[in-house]
Amino acid sequence: MSYPRLELNGKVAVVIGGTSGIGLAIAKGMAEAGADVVPTSRRQDQVEAAAKEIENRGRRSIRVTSDVSDRASLRNVLDESLKAFGKVDVLVNSAGRTKRAPTLDFTEEDWNSILDTNLTGTLRAAQVFGRHMLERESGSIINIASLSTFVALYEVAAYSASKAAVASLTKSLAIEWSQKGVRVNAIAPGVFRTPLNEKLLDETERGREFLLRTPMKRFGNVEELAGAAIFLASDAASFVSGEILTVDGGFLASGVNQ
């Protein structure tokens, strides 16, 4: 008996929010696993740089911007991807935003903005690309959840609510679309070091608490998320749908660590 392989040769992946941080690491990892990759976000300069990273790995890419608040821009990414490659096999929803503030004083404007990007933006992209995948009866959608999908993080209630809802949306889409050949899963990253959060992680009590709660006693490198994404995108995960795959160094298992 032959088993589905853990590779992406011949697949085309679109990574929304794929030009920096977690999204870029996943985009580069998928290219190294054999996929042609379209990393897209709002800034043209970042799209250009990310596409060059894909091409430097011997894979094909295109340069097209997107905004998850603008459904037409997402349709344009799909249209341009189809012109270039004829199909999209994999969608990664990695665009996101957050803001820390006491919930008592959190404005509705900020609340709505965060939910529109993190939750409704994920839905918009899933609808646009999901329709194409359902027509082909084949595809894999990977959403980005969070530790705050499962546990509360102090003073980021809007972000936490949005990421809990992303997990619920992931499961809802999985039960609607899996029978038609489209698998829907999510990755829940733990605490990963990025240029944006280095100061928080290294110089604050919040950062020290994150480290204390992580049994591996270190923060993740964003490249360590690529393997989970490659697995979920590959045929090796052909019977995996509705799963929230946590990559967190043991954070969610953490109780008493000493």
Side-chain angles (χ1 to χ4, degrees):
M1 178 180 178
S2 62
Y3 294 92
R5 299 185 64 179
L6 187 61
E7 64 183 18
L8 301 179
N9 293 333
K11 293 188 183 294
V12 176
V14 171
V15 184
I16 308 290
T19 63
S20 63
I22 288 171
L24 179 58
I26 288 174
K28 292 191 292 187
M30 287 186 167
E32 290 171 4
D36 296 319
V37 183
V38 179
T40 178
S41 66
R42 290 181 297 175
R43 289 179 50 181
Q44 184 66 44
D45 60 329
Q46 290 188 347
V47 169
E48 293 279 352
K52 183 174 289 188
E53 292 265 22
I54 303 306
E55 292 166 348
N56 287 343
R57 286 161 172 78
R59 308 310 306 173
R60 297 179 296 167
S61 188
I62 58 173
R63 291 151 173 80
V64 56
T65 59
S66 67
D67 182 343
V68 295
S69 69
D70 179 2
R71 186 180 296 268
S73 79
L74 297 171
R75 288 199 186 104
N76 183 58
V77 175
L78 174 61
D79 290 343
E80 293 301 316
S81 299
L82 294 181
K83 287 179 187 176
F85 306 116
K87 63 174 183 172
V88 174
D89 300 289
V90 180
L91 170 69
V92 180
N93 282 311
S94 188
R97 61 178 300 179
T98 188
K99 180 178 181 178
R100 180 179 176 179
T103 305
L104 184 63
D105 300 317
F106 209 80
T107 67
E108 282 194 27
E109 181 181 7
D110 285 335
W111 175 277
N112 291 336
S113 178
I114 289 170
L115 264 71
D116 185 67
T117 296
N118 297 357
L119 175 60
T120 312
T122 294
L123 173 65
R124 289 187 190 104
Q127 288 176 325
V128 168
F129 287 85
R131 187 176 300 277
H132 164 70
M133 293 177 178
L134 289 166
E135 288 172 355
R136 297 181 64 236
E137 298 186 347
S138 176
S140 172
I141 296 174
I142 303 168
N143 300 323
I144 302 299
S146 166
L147 290 178
S148 64
T149 299
F150 306 99
V151 296
L153 303 182
Y154 191 69
E155 291 186 341
V156 286
Y159 179 80
S160 297
S162 73
K163 290 300 186 177
V166 164
S168 180
L169 176 62
T170 298
K171 294 177 181 181
S172 293
L173 295 180
I175 66 168
E176 290 187 41
W177 294 356
S178 292
Q179 61 186 311
K180 300 173 184 175
V182 180
R183 298 180 295 105
V184 188
N185 295 286
I187 296 171
V191 185
F192 285 78
R193 184 183 298 280
T194 70
L196 293 177
N197 69 10
E198 281 183 336
K199 191 174 181 67
L200 167 72
L201 297 183
D202 294 337
E203 300 179 17
T204 69
E205 287 302 317
R206 191 183 184 94
R208 283 184 277 276
E209 184 177 353
F210 275 131
L211 192 60
L212 178 67
R213 292 279 301 277
T214 304
M216 290 185 74
K217 296 306 177 190
R218 66 175 178 86
F219 301 122
N221 300 309
V222 289
E223 292 76 16
E224 292 179 292
L225 288 164
I230 292 165
F231 166 66
L232 291 174
S234 76
D235 293 340
S238 57
F239 202 55
V240 180
S241 196
E243 176 67 20
I244 316 298
L245 178 56
T246 304
V247 185
D248 70 348
F251 186 102
L252 291 179
S254 177
V256 176
N257 291 303
Q258 57 190 339

